[in-house]
Amino acid sequence: MSRTALRICPLCEATCGLTLTIDGTRVTGARGDRDDVFSRGFICPKGASFGAVDGDPDRLRTPLVRRDGELREATWQEAFDAVAAGIRPVVERYGPHAVGVVLGNPNVHTMAGALYPTVLIASLGTRSLFTASTVDQMPKHVSSGLLYGDANAIPVPDLDHTDHLLLLGANPLESNGSLCTAPDFPGKLKALKARGGTLTVVDPRRTRTAKLADRHLAIRPGTDALLLAAMAHVLFEEDLVDLGRLAPHVQDVPELRAAMRDFTPEAVAESCDVEAAVIRALARELAAAPTAAVYGRIGSCTVPHGTLASWLVDVLNILTGNLDRPGGALFPQAATDRTPRPAGPGHGFALGRWHSRVSRHPEAKGELPLSALAEEIDTATAEGEPVRALIAVAANPVLSAPDGDRLDKALDSLDFMVSVDPYLNETSRHADVVLPPPPPSQSPHHDFAFNTLAVRNQVRYTRPAVPLEPGRMAETEILARLTLAVTGMHGADPAAVDTLVIDQTLGKAAKDPASPVHGRDPRELAALLTGDTGTERRLDMMLRLGPYGDGFGARPEGLGLGRLLDHPHGIDLGPLRPRLPQPLKTRSGRIELLPEPIAADLPRLRRALGERADGLVLVGRRHLRSNNSWMHNVPALTGGTNRCTLHIHPEDAARLGVRDGEPVRVKGAGGEVTARAEVTDGVRTGVVSLPHGWGHDRPGIRLAHAATDPGVNVNQLLDGTLLDPLSGNAVLNGIPVEVAPVTRTEALAGAPTAGAPTAG
Ligand SMILES: Nc1nc2c(c(=O)[nH]1)N[C@H]1C(S)=C(S)[C@@H](COP(=O)(O)OP(=O)(O)OC[C@H]3O[C@@H](n4cnc5c(=O)[nH]c(N)nc54)[C@H](O)[C@@H]3O)O[C@H]1N2
Ligand SMILES: Nc1nc2c(c(=O)[nH]1)N[C@H]1C(S)=C(S)[C@@H](COP(=O)(O)OP(=O)(O)OC[C@H]3O[C@@H](n4cnc5c(=O)[nH]c(N)nc54)[C@H](O)[C@@H]3O)O[C@H]1N2
Ligand code: SF4
Ligand SMILES: [Mo]
């Protein structure tokens, strides 16, 4: 006897609504929910494999606690006792900064990850915070922080309405989009073309997205900032700057014009490998389009000038009047956003309020670079204590961050480590305690983060599709108990964490003149909250205080949890709308077009004008049926073209004597790996490509299927020293490598090679 249940897909940023088929407690099928107000039935192969991902037999079912050197099954009580006993002495003896916190990508895909880590970090008081953001989008946060005064104010391209999209370093046909939540991104690009719009893709690889484009520019990796600066130069030079209605909200236009003077198309052409005439055409097309949006992602962020490139993306949208207008790039307004405050000067955005101990990296958004995690553990300095204990939540930095081998050793040297993770993998194998969350079918879902990045305003919530299995603990409760255990309140009622947050939030709102509950009694408000769990009550509170909320009765037709539950397929809140100047929180109250830290970094970009390394550089790639480091254990999603092979252009292969299908050695500053070559003109000359998230061959992991075709860890080629200085973001693309065929004798010696065809 099967039934169906709705579940928002947590497997990528597109947030599609799924209809799950459930037999007993097992998810046996998944299809797109045609009535979902946002995704309208769209599904991809990962979503279709929801049941297999959810029911993976290698998922841990009980906590593990290390005893006599071995991780053994334990009760939740024993596990949290061990956490308190492991972390508290480190805090008491060495202070809170000796406890590191590592937050990985899946935190943005769970309600637990959205609601609890901030409380954990604040109550622990540690500055040793490392997250996936510094191997991903930190440059965009920094550029938004500097331009708009709010690191989370990220404009999103209006995919459904734009006439012209310039897309750099993104491959949404495989990734399904990022910092731009759009179910059926491929369909939206096709619709753009069908309505007569144009798509330009800038990518050193001829990706599936590039194949869809009207124009594909195979840029040299790492040079997008130069290309974009030259486009800004042309806009000034040819008098194409037109801020339109943005004009009263923007400052520093003349200063920007002067700063762009040296970046002529002719000066950047050779570095970028894009002809000057083409760069001029790009700028003219952008200015001429009725509406247009420039959008950059991984390939524009994880490079040496990541912050400058991210800033220039917005600069071009601003100079052409496309920021904050339909068809351009707009600021979404999510249902759980804070009460919008009246427009006016804000506190601005500060960078470098503290520094990492060893390499003196500045903090950004309260975080230190993930690239520096290993050295912060394994290097003693006079500055202060190294990280001696670690709390990792949904993070696999041994594969995701530079120099996994060094981190692997560093993790082994910790006094104590706890991982909240469903798998025993390359990182969690080092933990003294592993706390496994339930599979997604047993968790509630709402997208706090991705709704602030969505191409249409909407709100959806799905309760657990399957009840918690006996012996399981909700991830929200795991994180609440973890917070209590590490802050000296071990054993207290986990509901206390929610109560604390609710009291604080309502207390603040009651004092805020802009809030619909200004002047009301916070206790009376708290009593009005609905929901079966603390998590639901917090969602109810955020919805009711939010921009569409019922204001606890002030706007009776507004949103709350009850209304959301009445609309299981979600509530549409309309297209993105102009919002400026309200989102601005800069000290000037305007868009600060040429902020001082950016101006101070431009000389570095100017120096890059003359640079052109002649060796090979490596870029990454994603595959539709994968997700970073943790989805190689699902047979339905591996094999075929989802392989850890080295893409290399036929000309480079011929020059180096590399043959298709044969093993090649790839050497970088941090180490070397051996992978099978895949000779293809899908990658331009001078560039090779390996995907990340592979290398499942370390001892002690429990990933039976992944271990049959482990692949190699591309991040071993990095030594962790290459960073974008403003954001601390790792350089993961455009890294210099040497490639050579593995000689016959070496091959006979039988080193395992990534990408070898597997049996069956
Ligand atoms: N070379 C190279 N390296 C890269 C990238 C690249 O493009 N190239 N991309 C970078 C990017 S953009 C990112 S975001 C990072 C991602 O790297 P990480 O932040 O390490 O994220 P994942 O590999 O997605 O998953 C991390 C862990 O979360 C666990 N997990 C899965 N679901 C859940 C859950 O519901 N709850 C909990 N608690 N845990 C869960 C998984 O088992 C896994 O151990 O990798 C980065 N590394
Ligand atoms: N199927 C699948 N989907 C995913 C993920 C996954 O692992 N698999 N990961 C998720 C995560 S965490 C993220 S952050 C997003 C990322 O989403 P996207 O940004 O779309 O990620 P990629 O597919 O890696 O695309 C990056 C592209 O940049 C190109 N590139 C590399 N260097 C340069 C350069 O210097 N300049 C330019 N212009 N291009 C360059 C690469 O060739 C690649 O095609 O995807 C998310 N969705
Ligand atoms: S596109 Fe993303 S959210 Fe949609 S079904 Fe696929 S993995 Fe899930
Ligand atoms: Mo990411």
Side-chain angles (χ1 to χ4, degrees), residues 12-13 46 105 136 168-172 174-178 202-205 207 219-224 295 297-300 303 619-628 692 733-734:
C12 87
E13 298 184 32
K46 269 194 290 182
N105 171 273
D136 188 345
L168 306 108
N171 186 12
E174 306 282 357
S175 70
N176 288 315
S178 179
V202 180
D203 196 310
R205 300 186 307 118
T207 61
I219 194 171
R220 279 187 65 241
T223 62
D224 296 65
Y295 161 71
R297 207 47 281 277
I298 282 292
S300 68
V303 287
V619 300
R621 68 176 188 269
R622 282 174 163 77
H623 192 278
L624 184 57
R625 288 180 297 123
S626 79
N627 192 26
N628 299 325
H692 72 284
N733 277 292

Side-chain angles (χ1 to χ4, degrees), residues 13 59 102-107 109-110 131-133 135-137 178 297-298 302 370 392-402 419-428 435-440 443 475 479 618-622 627-631 690-693 703 713-715 718 731-733 735:
E13 298 184 32
R59 277 181 187 267
V102 184
L103 303 176
N105 171 273
N107 281 301
H109 296 276
T110 66
T131 86
S133 294
V135 284
D136 188 345
Q137 82 289 0
S178 179
R297 207 47 281 277
I298 282 292
T302 54
L370 189 59
V393 184
N396 192 7
V398 170
L399 294 190
S400 315
S419 272
V420 181
D421 206 287
Y423 287 106
L424 192 56
N425 63 14
E426 299 76 17
T427 297
S428 62
L435 303 168
S443 307
E475 186 161 14
L479 295 188
L618 181 133
V619 300
R621 68 176 188 269
R622 282 174 163 77
N627 192 26
N628 299 325
S629 76
W630 71 277
M631 239 175 257
L690 255 187
H692 72 284
L703 297 164
N713 179 10
V714 65
N715 287 325
L718 292 158
V731 174
L732 304 171
N733 277 292
I735 58 171

Side-chain angles (χ1 to χ4, degrees), residues 611-679:
E611 285 167 14
R612 196 191 149 111
D614 23 72
L616 284 175
V617 293
L618 181 133
V619 300
R621 68 176 188 269
R622 282 174 163 77
H623 192 278
L624 184 57
R625 288 180 297 123
S626 79
N627 192 26
N628 299 325
S629 76
W630 71 277
M631 239 175 257
H632 298 136
N633 206 48
V634 178
L637 297 176
T638 53
T641 50
N642 184 12
R643 282 241 166 82
C644 188
T645 53
L646 185 85
H647 284 183
I648 182 167
H649 189 274
E651 284 174 25
D652 290 321
R655 183 170 50 83
L656 296 166
V658 166
R659 294 226 297 262
D660 189 56
E662 306 227 312
V664 278
R665 188 174 323 102
V666 189
K667 227 189 243 181
E672 62 174 65
V673 298
T674 301
R676 235 157 251 277
E678 195 172 331
V679 179

Side-chain angles (χ1 to χ4, degrees), residues 250-317:
V250 179
Q251 65 175 44
D252 305 339
V253 178
E255 289 82 357
L256 177 70
R257 178 190 193 112
M260 294 294 105
R261 193 168 298 135
D262 296 343
F263 299 100
T264 62
E266 291 70 23
V268 308
E270 198 186 330
S271 298
C272 300
D273 254 357
V274 179
E275 283 169 36
V278 172
I279 299 174
R280 286 184 189 278
L282 287 182
R284 289 173 193 150
E285 283 166 16
L286 190 69
T291 65
V294 185
Y295 161 71
R297 207 47 281 277
I298 282 292
S300 68
C301 280
T302 54
V303 287
H305 303 284
T307 300
L308 292 182
S310 298
W311 164 73
L312 283 161
V313 162
D314 284 30
V315 162
L316 289 176
N317 284 328

Side-chain angles (χ1 to χ4, degrees), residues 13 18 42 90 116 133 341 444 528 541 566 728:
E13 298 184 32
L18 304 182
F42 182 77
V90 174
Y116 296 86
S133 294
R341 53 191 268 299
L528 293 173
M541 172 180 72
D566 289 342

Side-chain angles (χ1 to χ4, degrees), residues 335-522:
T336 51
D337 279 349
R338 283 200 203 126
T339 317
R341 53 191 268 299
H347 295 300
F349 173 75
L351 266 176
R353 292 163 298 173
W354 58 86
H355 290 77
S356 72
R357 222 173 21 90
V358 183
S359 293
R360 307 292 302 155
H361 297 300
E363 64 77 36
K365 217 171 157 261
E367 301 183 19
L368 298 175
L370 189 59
S371 299
L373 175 60
E375 69 179 23
E376 287 298 308
I377 298 172
D378 69 18
T379 311
T381 65
E383 296 284 325
E385 287 302 323
V387 168
R388 292 173 185 270
L390 200 68
I391 301 169
V393 184
N396 192 7
V398 170
L399 294 190
S400 315
D403 199 351
D405 286 348
R406 179 172 178 185
L407 189 56
D408 203 52
K409 286 198 199 83
L411 296 180
D412 238 3
S413 74
L414 289 165
D415 289 358
F416 183 81
M417 174 172 166
V418 50
S419 272
V420 181
D421 206 287
Y423 287 106
L424 192 56
N425 63 14
E426 299 76 17
T427 297
S428 62
R429 76 190 181 104
H430 292 284
D432 298 287
V433 176
V434 184
L435 303 168
S441 63
Q442 295 174 31
S443 307
H445 196 81
H446 168 76
D447 284 293
F448 290 99
F450 297 125
N451 285 352
T452 70
L453 297 162
V455 296
R456 193 168 173 94
N457 294 316
Q458 40 70 42
V459 58
R460 293 163 298 149
Y461 171 63
T462 47
R463 282 185 159 164
V466 174
L468 264 189
E469 212 176 12
R472 288 279 191 189
M473 185 178 282
E475 186 161 14
T476 48
E477 185 178 337
I478 294 174
L479 295 188
R481 286 188 188 275
L482 178 67
T483 301
L484 295 168
V486 303
T487 53
M489 290 184 282
H490 177 44
D493 180 0
V497 176
D498 297 314
T499 308
L500 176 91
V501 174
I502 288 170
D503 289 351
Q504 278 178 354
T505 311
L506 292 174
K508 257 197 218 149
K511 287 199 199 111
D512 175 3
S515 168
V517 298
H518 183 231
R520 291 177 65 180
D521 175 4

